[in-house]
């Protein structure tokens, strides 16, 4: 309470109580200043002519108001005095007007959320220059060695969150997420996820960057620029041909699976894709996950490709994976698999059917081309370990809720694992840091233990930016407990336009806090006027205000800081706008041409 009463005093309250007497005093001084201006103008005119001017005082004012210019400025041309008065008056009037605007903007208006949250908000100072730049130098000891905070480019300081909104439509300091932050953003469709977060973050990432998306827009906007800027490879993982660019590489999800834990972690991404309402997930989910992990571990140890896992999933009597697990000393795991295969048929069928549903991408030949070794052996293999030590870019594309989604999650997670390993060899922190923009995370990047990862990725130099359409959407994937964990572990939370869940909106209103708002009343009685001011406590932003956050704007919650309202910085207002615009046009042209060619081939085989 002490915090609230100190910080959120009504602005301009003192002014309101003493307004009438203050105005009278100001008006009197204004008149004196006016005469002063005329006297200074007469003095200047007397300087440039052979005339004189009387000394300033009551007598001089009397000469002036009675029009006795012969006494007020003897020998000085009155026309010149008028001219000088006009010039000085105009100049001073202009300066006064600018000053008034400045003071008005600084004070804001009482009851206005922008005024209450942003004016004088020193909590977010460490997210702005110069503190943010100093922090960047401290966190990136290797890649910014020898740099001074003041001379850092914005893109090295951190990920741009937005500019602080100020009263009357102005904006203030630019705020950045640091290289040890973990970002969680909630935004509805068309709220600015791609234009203000994904595209600028990928373009400006100082090291490796990955972005998941259900459209080709982030790839289209950033691929060319990233290639030119980093001089390194831009990978496009697009098993559903969203961009029609063809396949240029493959990735082996089993390459680094060596332990039960590795296999279990990989299998968990697949199980999470079973329809959330599906009762099979609760009943058979854990056993299906165990089965997939046993088969994947067997395939990895036996140097078999991913397609073998699909074959084994369709043959519940297959002895080969059990043999491999035995051969490599995973006795308990082999026994468990044998037990599953020999269980009563209804149970076994339930487990195998659920596992096949979870891993249905393995049955899709188009998708499998991306994770099976190429038949002619000509194609490059993507290596997460090399990626995290580079400045490469990876775009992971999948249609929402599609079969390919588990592979997007698995590949992202493989990069996180590689990033953590690499950070151990760099003094605990990946440098330059890895930026991972997980757009549409709840549909296409359901990394099972993302909530846990949030608690330590930031300290490893891996900055995840998970973008969800709503809190509920996250709960459906990671459960209430998971989302609570992710909420607590995210050091930067952004809420954009389109928040409609009344529970969340009310919870946010409470977290933002309250302030005192004054109401002034005048009454007349017993022959005299009475002016009184009452204070009323109210929420700084009510639920309805939060619902009305505009497109391109966001509410920021940073650790231990007062909530702040931001105007986000979309790419088309930034310095790379022209180049990104051209890149989008060129990429769209290529997508259209390739799509037309492909459909022409399909129509005329
Ligand atoms: N070059 C541009 N100039 C001006 N406005 C633009 C430009 N590109 C996009 N916009 C607008 O910016 C807004 C945000 O678009 P954006 O693609 O970032 O939304 P999104 O949150 O990613 O939505 P979705 O869920 O559809 O992916 C939209 O209203 C869009 O029309
Ligand atoms: Mg988008």
């Amino acid at each position: 309470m002490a915090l609230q009463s100190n910080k959120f005093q009504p602005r301009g309250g003192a002014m309101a109580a003493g307004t009438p007497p203050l105005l009278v005093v100001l008006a009197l001084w204004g008149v004196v200043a006016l005469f002063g201006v005329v006297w200074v103008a007469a003095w200047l005119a007397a300087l440039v002519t052979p005339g004189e001017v009387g000394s300033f005082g009551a007598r001089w004012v009397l000469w002036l108001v009675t029009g006795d210019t012969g006494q007020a400025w003897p020998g000085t041309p009155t026309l010149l005095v008028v001219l000088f008065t006009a010039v000085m008056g105009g100049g001073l009037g202009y300066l006064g007007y600018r000053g008034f605007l400045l003071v008005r903007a600084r004070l804001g208006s009482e009851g206005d959320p922008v005024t209450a949250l942003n004016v004088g908000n020193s909590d977010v100072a460490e997210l702005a220059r110069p503190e943010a730049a100093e922090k960047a130098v401290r966190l990136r000891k290797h890649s910014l060695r020898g740099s001074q905070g003041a001379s850092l480019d914005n893109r090295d300081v951190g990920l741009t969150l937005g500019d602080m909104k100020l009263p009357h439509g102005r904006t203030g300091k630019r705020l950045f997420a640091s290289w040890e932050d973990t970002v969680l953003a909630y935004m509805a469709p068309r709220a600015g996820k791609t234009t203000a977060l994904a595209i600028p973050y990928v373009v400006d990432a100082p090291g490796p960057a990955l972005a998941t998306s259900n459209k080709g827009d982030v790839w289209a906007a950033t691929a060319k620029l990233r290639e030119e800027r980093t001089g390194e490879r831009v990978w496009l993982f697009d098993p559903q041909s969203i961009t029609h660019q063809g396949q240029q590489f493959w990735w082996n999800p089993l390459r680094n699976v060596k332990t039960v834990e590795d296999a279990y972690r990989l299998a968990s991404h697949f199980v999470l894709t079973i329809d959330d309402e599906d009762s099979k997930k609760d009943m058979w989910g854990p056993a299906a996950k165990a089965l997939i992990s046993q088969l994947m571990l067997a395939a990895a140890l036996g140097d078999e490709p991913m397609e073998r896992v699909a074959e084994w999933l369709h043959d519940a009597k297959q002895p080969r994976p059990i043999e491999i697990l035995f051969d490599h000393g995973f006795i308990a795991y082999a026994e468990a698999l044998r037990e599953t295969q020999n269980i009563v048929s209804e149970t076994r069928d339930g487990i195998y059917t659920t596992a096949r549903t979870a891993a249905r991408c393995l049955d899709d030949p188009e998708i499998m081309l991306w994770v099976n070794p190429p038949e002619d052996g000509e194609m490059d293999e993507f290596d997460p370990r090399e990626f995290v030590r580079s400045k490469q870019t990876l775009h992971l594309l999948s249609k929402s809720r599609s079969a390919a989604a588990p592979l997007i999650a698995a590949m992202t997670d493989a990069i996180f694992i590689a990033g953590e390993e690499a950070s151990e060899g760099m003094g605990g922190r990946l440098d330059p840091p890895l930026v991972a923009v997980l757009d549409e995370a709840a549909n296409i990047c359901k990394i099972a233990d993302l909530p846990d990862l949030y608690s330590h990725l930031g300290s490893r130099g891996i900055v995840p930016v998970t973008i969800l359409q709503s809190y509920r959407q996250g709960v459906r994937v990671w459960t209430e407990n998971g989302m609570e964990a992710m909420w607590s572990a995210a050091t930067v939370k952004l809420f954009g336009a389109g928040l409609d869940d009344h529970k969340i909106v009310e919870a946010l209103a409470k977290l933002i806090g309250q302030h005192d708002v004054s109401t002034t009343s005048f009454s007349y009685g017993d022959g005299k006027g009475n002016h009184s001011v009452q204070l009323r406590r109210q929420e700084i932003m009510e639920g309805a205000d939060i619902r009305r956050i505009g497109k391109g704007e966001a509410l920021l919650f940073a650790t231990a800081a007062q909530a702040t309202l931001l105007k986000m910085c979309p790419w088309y207002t930034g310095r790379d706008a022209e180049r990104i615009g051209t890149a989008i046009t060129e990429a769209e042209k290529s997508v259209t041409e390739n799509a037309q060619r492909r459909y022409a081939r399909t129509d005329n085989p």
Side-chain angles (χ1 to χ4, degrees):
M1 284 311 276
L3 180 85
Q4 285 168 350
S5 54
N6 284 340
K7 281 196 168 177
F8 304 117
Q9 290 295 332
R11 298 190 187 267
M15 187 94 147
T19 300
L22 188 67
L23 275 183
V24 173
V25 172
L26 281 178
L28 284 175
W29 276 108
V31 173
V32 173
L34 204 65
F35 286 123
V37 169
V38 181
W39 184 83
V40 173
W43 178 79
L44 286 173
L47 269 186
V48 295
T49 60
E52 289 175 31
V53 62
S55 48
F56 188 70
R59 212 153 48 104
W60 189 86
V61 171
L62 192 67
W63 289 333
L64 182 64
V65 294
T66 56
D68 190 355
T69 55
Q71 297 266 24
W73 45 77
T76 309
T78 300
L79 197 63
L80 202 59
V81 176
V82 171
L83 191 71
F84 277 22
T85 305
V87 171
M88 281 177 59
L92 287 173
Y94 177 74
L95 285 178
Y97 175 69
R98 300 293 308 185
F100 166 74
L101 289 185
L102 207 68
V103 171
R104 196 179 68 150
R106 287 216 173 270
L107 289 178
S109 51
E110 200 184 337
D112 167 32
V114 174
T115 305
L117 295 178
N118 288 13
V119 175
N121 179 351
S122 56
D123 289 0
V124 289
E126 71 168 306
L127 276 65
R129 279 170 169 270
E131 289 181 43
E134 300 300 338
K135 189 172 179 181
V137 173
R138 181 166 57 77
L139 292 175
R140 291 175 53 193
K141 285 195 172 61
H142 174 68
S143 59
L144 292 180
R145 183 178 298 142
S147 301
Q148 298 295 319
S151 56
L152 279 197
D153 192 286
N154 270 355
R155 68 170 68 104
D156 282 317
V157 173
L159 299 177
T160 301
L161 298 170
D163 295 334
M164 281 178 88
K165 285 184 74 180
L166 289 180
H168 307 292
R170 293 178 342 119
T171 50
K173 285 189 165 183
R174 179 155 294 190
L175 302 187
F176 301 87
S178 79
W179 300 120
E180 64 175 359
D181 275 323
T182 46
V183 184
L184 186 54
Y186 301 91
M187 288 182 196
R190 255 70 69 209
K193 301 185 291 289
T194 300
T195 49
L197 303 179
I199 293 176
Y201 290 2
V202 170
V203 168
D204 290 341
L210 82 82
T212 66
S213 183
N214 59 358
K215 291 182 224 129
D217 47 7
V218 183
W219 163 80
T222 62
K224 191 149 177 263
L225 213 64
R226 277 290 290 182
E227 216 161 49
E228 284 169 14
R229 194 164 280 172
T230 61
E232 298 199 26
R233 187 158 178 177
V234 174
W235 307 84
L236 175 61
F237 187 78
D238 183 12
Q240 288 169 315
S241 229
I242 293 172
T243 58
H244 298 281
Q245 298 301 301
Q247 184 185 355
Q248 307 292 337
F249 70 98
W250 75 289
W251 168 62
N252 183 359
L254 302 173
R255 174 75 60 208
N256 296 314
V257 173
K258 302 208 163 23
T259 64
V260 168
E261 202 182 317
D262 296 340
Y264 218 72
R265 188 160 166 173
L266 179 57
S268 62
H269 309 307
F270 290 82
V271 177
L272 219 58
T273 57
I274 304 174
D275 283 347
D276 307 296
E277 298 77 25
D278 199 331
S279 59
K280 279 190 294 186
K281 185 173 169 178
D282 289 336
M283 198 186 326
W284 306 116
K289 181 152 90 177
L291 173 62
I292 296 173
S293 71
Q294 288 149 4
L295 299 182
M296 283 181 169
L297 182 61
L301 297 171
D303 231 358
E304 298 282 0
M306 274 299 264
E307 64 187 346
R308 203 70 66 233
V309 177
E311 284 169 27
W312 292 342
L313 273 172
H314 284 279
D315 179 2
K317 293 260 177 253
Q318 176 58 248
R320 181 81 187 117
I322 300 174
E323 288 163 16
I324 298 175
L325 289 171
F326 270 126
D327 287 351
H328 287 81
F330 289 89
I331 312 297
Y333 230 36
E335 296 283 12
L337 179 55
R338 183 150 52 195
E339 223 169 84
T340 307
Q341 290 193 348
N342 293 330
I343 220 163
V344 286
S345 61
E346 295 86 50
T347 311
R348 188 189 57 214
D349 291 350
I351 297 170
Y352 267 80
T353 310
T354 308
R356 280 198 294 269
T357 310
R360 67 185 192 281
C361 66
L362 306 186
D363 293 335
D364 185 327
E366 293 275 316
I367 296 176
M368 289 308 281
L369 284 176
W370 292 76
V371 288
N372 272 332
E375 280 175 9
D376 55 8
E378 287 288 297
M379 212 177 277
D380 291 338
E381 182 182 345
F382 176 82
D383 179 1
R385 293 176 181 190
E386 190 194 322
F387 177 78
V388 295
R389 289 181 172 84
S390 72
K391 289 189 178 178
Q392 296 174 2
T393 313
L394 171 65
H395 291 279
L396 295 149
L397 267 52
S398 160
K399 291 175 188 161
S400 281
R401 304 173 83 87
S402 82
L407 293 175
I408 305 290
M411 203 164 172
T412 307
D413 196 31
I415 289 168
F416 287 161
I417 294 169
E420 286 185 48
E421 278 172 14
S423 74
E424 283 161 16
M426 297 183 190
R429 184 176 288 286
L430 206 58
D431 186 14
L434 162 70
V435 175
V437 185
L438 311 183
D439 195 2
E440 290 289 336
N443 286 325
I444 59 166
C445 193
K446 302 182 188 186
I447 296 175
D449 56 355
L450 193 61
D452 291 339
L453 292 177
Y454 253 67
S455 60
H456 64 270
L457 282 181
S459 64
R460 299 296 197 145
I462 300 172
V463 186
V465 181
T466 299
I467 309 177
L468 305 174
Q469 290 191 7
S470 68
Y471 188 84
R472 288 283 125 217
Q473 195 193 32
V475 169
R476 280 198 291 276
V477 179
W478 290 285
T479 74
E480 200 79 57
N481 287 343
M483 276 312 286
E484 269 173 30
M486 194 137 90
W487 173 278
S488 317
T491 54
V492 169
K493 292 175 271 276
L494 283 174
F495 303 90
L499 294 177
D500 258 339
D501 181 329
H502 71 99
K503 279 197 202 144
I504 296 301
V505 163
E506 280 159 24
L508 287 179
K510 279 209 171 57
L511 286 175
I512 293 168
Q514 296 187 321
H515 64 163
D516 291 328
V517 177
S518 64
T519 44
T520 307
S521 58
F522 291 97
S523 57
Y524 189 80
D526 298 335
K528 58 179 179 181
N530 200 359
H531 164 237
S532 64
V533 180
Q534 288 94 29
L535 290 182
R536 182 163 44 86
R537 249 187 126 55
Q538 69 175 42
E539 278 170 345
I540 296 173
M541 286 184 90
E542 290 177 354
D545 299 325
I546 297 171
R547 270 201 70 240
R548 277 203 301 269
I549 289 174
K551 283 188 176 182
E553 296 181 357
L555 182 65
L556 162 72
F557 278 56
T559 302
Q562 168 61 46
T564 309
L565 280 163
L566 299 180
K567 185 171 180 358
M568 294 193 293
C569 306
W571 64 265
Y572 50 82
T573 61
R575 56 186 160 171
D576 294 320
E578 207 181 314
R579 295 171 75 193
I580 294 177
T582 313
I584 292 176
T585 313
E586 283 172 9
E588 278 172 354
K589 198 165 150 237
S590 148
V591 171
T592 313
E593 283 171 5
N594 288 355
Q596 281 168 353
R597 238 176 271 141
R598 183 178 165 174
Y599 294 130
R601 270 204 306 272
T602 325
D603 291 344
N604 312 300

